[in-house]
Amino acid sequence: MVLNSPRGTADLYGKELTYRNFILEKSKKLFNRFCYDPIVTPAFEHTEVFSRSIGQATDIVQKEMYTFYDKKQRSLTLRPEGTAGVVRAVVENKLYAQNLPIKLFYAGNMFRYERPQKGRMREFFQLGAEAIGSANPLMDAEMIWLISDLFSSLGFKDLVLLINSMGCTLCRKSYTQKFQEFLHHHQEKLCPECRHRLDTNPLRVFDCKRQSCRHAIEDSPKISQHLCSSCRDHFEKVRRYIKILGINCQIDHSLVRGFDYYSRTVFEVVSTALDSAQNALGGGGRYDDLVKQFGGPDLPAIGFAIGLDRTSLLMQQLGIKPSASRELKSLYLISMDQQYSEYLLELLQFFRKECICDTNFNIKNISKELKWAQKHHYDFVAIIGEEEFKNCRVSIKDMQKFKQHAFDWKNEKDTILALLRGN
Ligand code: AMP
């Protein structure tokens, strides 16, 4: 008798594998350009790692985890997602003791006991990025930029970026009460599961795919209209920064994502070409309380994950073919004041199209930053100080030749490009 692979799993070979490897290679190059380091964590963890972080009342923890007892009766779970394991590893290995933010990326198989269908598997492959240790809205903008550059570097053109803010613990609490009151008034329109969620975790009603439930919450209070002033300011800055980066987004008031750990900015990339139940290619958000929940220091964080199975499926469906790329130089960008944030963003975007480029949103002093760049063997350092900012210039230092020159940002882009390309 021939044995089959378990339901919801797949063998990958031939064309399928070429697509998966292409997506992995492209994204590794992009993460390298944005200076994210790789991390590998176990495919299974103590069950508590997920139940504590993702949330007891979520579908994942309630119904979808592959949980088992090992021979010593320890409860273990195959990872249903990547963030919880990465945060556990950062806390356990005290990775936060280095220069913050820590910027990491991972790729690996995930496991959820879902009803398998096209684009929805029980074993699937995700890659994701996490930045731990910065509350700066520039960090949110960088994450959104990274996910959107990832899809455009793969050749996608017409994807939609949805964005929302879920507020902090304080404003979310008062919003949740208002939303719960609204649901109580409309509970006869909700499915039995959502009626139960209404008491256990009302925000999860947003995850329900049933048309009747979606309809019932159409006129519910919107979370982004109940933000405290600091969350509102944060959300406005994120939207302004991504606009500067030329990224279009749509605010989606019902976007709350399926895990409990999210706070403030959440986002999702969807395709109109895929079946609406499986149209999300990737998404993420801030999780400012999670590191602390895992027993680590109080460090804000943000991340995202994309699904390779769905991405590869859509590439093939749209006729996007895998293609090749070239070697890159590295540049470290130093902005000496928070006031230059928008100029910094414009320069970062330019450099990251051309080379491996990093900066530190948590500004320190210039000599420390220069030492950091030297220690990490950057080819160039670019500096935005007061003079540069006022005169719209950028000073670029060649770290091998020890030569520095201030370029006119508006008129000398071609000369800068020639320098970075080594022409
Ligand atoms: P999530 O971790 O639920 O935010 O999902 C992030 C991305 O992973 C989604 O946008 C999908 O592309 C992918 N994904 C999630 N669940 C599955 C699944 N069961 N099968 C295939 N891909 C999935």
Side-chain angles (χ1 to χ4, degrees):
M1 195 181 73
V2 175
L3 294 176
N4 298 327
S5 76
R7 191 163 134 78
T9 68
D11 301 311
L12 279 193
Y13 49 88
K15 194 165 100 184
E16 291 289 339
L17 201 53
T18 310
Y19 272 87
R20 162 147 336 161
N21 288 339
F22 171 72
I23 301 169
L24 273 173
E25 281 313 308
K26 272 279 179 191
S27 39
K28 275 184 196 157
K29 285 204 169 113
L30 188 71
F31 288 138
N32 183 33
R33 223 185 289 175
F34 279 65
C35 302
Y36 282 63
D37 291 323
I39 183 164
V40 176
T41 63
F44 58 87
E45 298 270 358
H46 291 292
T47 301
E48 215 188 329
V49 168
F50 306 114
S51 54
R52 231 209 268 178
S53 57
I54 297 172
Q56 285 293 350
T58 58
D59 276 0
I60 295 192
V61 172
Q62 291 274 315
K63 301 187 275 192
E64 296 170 3
M65 294 209 301
Y66 279 90
T67 297
F68 57 96
Y69 287 96
D70 71 2
K71 292 187 196 305
K72 290 262 169 73
Q73 296 310 305
R74 284 173 286 232
S75 177
L76 300 172
T77 294
L78 296 184
R79 60 180 171 198
E81 59 101 42
T83 303
V86 171
V87 172
R88 196 264 316 132
V90 165
V91 172
E92 185 175 340
N93 299 291
K94 296 196 173 56
L95 299 186
Y96 50 78
Q98 15 170 318
N99 202 43
L100 292 174
I102 316 152
K103 304 204 292 183
L104 300 167
F105 77 89
Y106 61 85
N109 39 358
M110 309 291 156
F111 307 85
R112 293 182 199 170
Y113 192 82
E114 295 194 82
R115 198 162 52 80
Q117 47 193 289
K118 205 170 181 188
R120 195 201 282 170
M121 306 286 288
R122 286 183 176 168
E123 183 191 30
F124 57 99
F125 209 90
Q126 278 187 340
L127 61 83
E130 315 288 350
I132 298 172
S134 175
N136 196 324
L138 283 168
M139 199 72 247
D140 307 44
E142 177 171 292
M143 271 297 159
I144 292 170
W145 171 15
L146 195 49
I147 195 171
S148 82
D149 252 28
L150 212 163
F151 286 114
S152 46
S153 74
L154 294 174
F156 287 101
K157 288 198 178 71
D158 300 317
L159 299 178
V160 180
L161 173 78
L162 304 174
I163 179 169
N164 196 15
S165 174
M166 299 194 51
C168 57
T169 4
L170 288 180
C171 50
R172 193 164 54 253
K173 197 169 166 199
S174 69
Y175 167 76
T176 308
Q177 272 167 5
K178 288 198 179 73
F179 184 57
Q180 198 168 28
E181 279 163 27
F182 174 91
L183 291 179
H184 271 294
H185 285 116
H186 296 82
Q187 54 178 311
E188 73 290 352
K189 297 179 198 150
L190 300 175
C191 69
E193 219 173 321
C194 282
R195 253 177 260 160
H196 178 67
R197 285 170 171 149
L198 195 169
D199 295 314
T200 52
N201 191 342
L203 289 186
R204 298 276 66 90
V205 172
F206 281 111
D207 301 335
C208 187
K209 299 271 186 243
R210 284 188 192 85
Q211 221 33 54
S212 52
C213 293
R214 291 195 159 212
H215 197 64
I217 56 171
E218 251 165 28
D219 296 323
S220 64
K222 314 279 181 260
I223 193 160
S224 57
Q225 285 158 7
H226 290 81
L227 300 175
C228 62
S229 62
S230 126
C231 288
R232 203 175 326 120
D233 179 57
H234 186 95
F235 194 38
E236 271 164 23
K237 284 204 171 107
V238 173
R239 283 182 335 214
R240 198 162 70 237
Y241 293 151
I242 61 176
K243 193 167 171 209
I244 291 174
L245 293 165
I247 301 168
N248 291 322
C249 70
Q250 281 176 22
I251 298 188
D252 180 347
H253 297 290
S254 63
L255 182 68
V256 294
R257 316 258 315 127
F259 314 142
D260 280 355
Y261 54 63
Y262 285 118
S263 53
R264 291 198 158 175
T265 319
V266 285
F267 51 93
E268 206 157 78
V269 174
V270 299
S271 159
T272 42
L274 285 171
D275 168 359
S276 73
Q278 261 76 246
N279 69 352
L281 293 171
R286 263 201 177 274
Y287 49 92
D288 289 344
D289 306 307
L290 196 58
V291 181
K292 198 170 47 183
Q293 262 179 44
F294 271 95
D298 189 2
L299 289 178
I302 182 164
F304 72 78
I306 75 156
L308 269 69
D309 308 78
R310 254 177 236 179
T311 305
S312 152
L313 195 74
L314 186 63
M315 283 179 77
Q316 295 176 55
Q317 204 170 305
L318 298 176
I320 300 174
K321 298 255 173 339
S323 61
S325 51
R326 66 180 167 87
E327 283 293 306
L328 301 169
K329 295 266 186 197
S330 61
L331 178 143
Y332 192 71
L333 183 53
I334 305 173
S335 163
M336 287 159 63
D337 197 296
Q338 197 73 43
Q339 280 176 41
Y340 316 149
S341 288
E342 297 188 5
Y343 190 40
L344 165 74
L345 209 49
E346 195 181 320
L347 263 67
L348 253 187
Q349 188 176 37
F350 172 83
F351 288 128
R352 279 181 175 163
K353 284 202 179 105
E354 271 312 306
C355 57
I356 297 162
C357 179
D358 202 9
T359 187
N360 192 341
F361 296 139
N362 305 345
I363 298 167
K364 289 196 191 146
N365 70 44
I366 181 140
S367 63
K368 270 196 184 156
E369 296 285 293
L370 278 169
K371 275 194 194 126
W372 164 266
Q374 204 165 17
K375 189 172 152 204
H376 291 83
H377 309 292
Y378 277 87
D379 298 309
F380 299 99
V381 166
I383 301 162
I384 314 170
E386 197 181 346
E387 279 305 303
E388 285 85 355
F389 180 69
K390 271 195 199 141
N391 304 312
C392 208
R393 298 175 82 80
V394 55
S395 294
I396 301 185
K397 189 179 169 99
D398 184 321
M399 299 297 275
Q400 257 94 53
K401 296 183 186 147
F402 298 104
K403 271 196 203 152
Q404 183 166 329
H405 182 76
F407 292 91
D408 182 314
W409 176 239
K410 290 274 172 285
N411 302 314
E412 290 188 300
K413 287 202 179 95
D414 287 343
T415 325
I416 299 176
L417 284 183
L419 180 74
L420 297 176
R421 289 174 185 168
N423 298 337

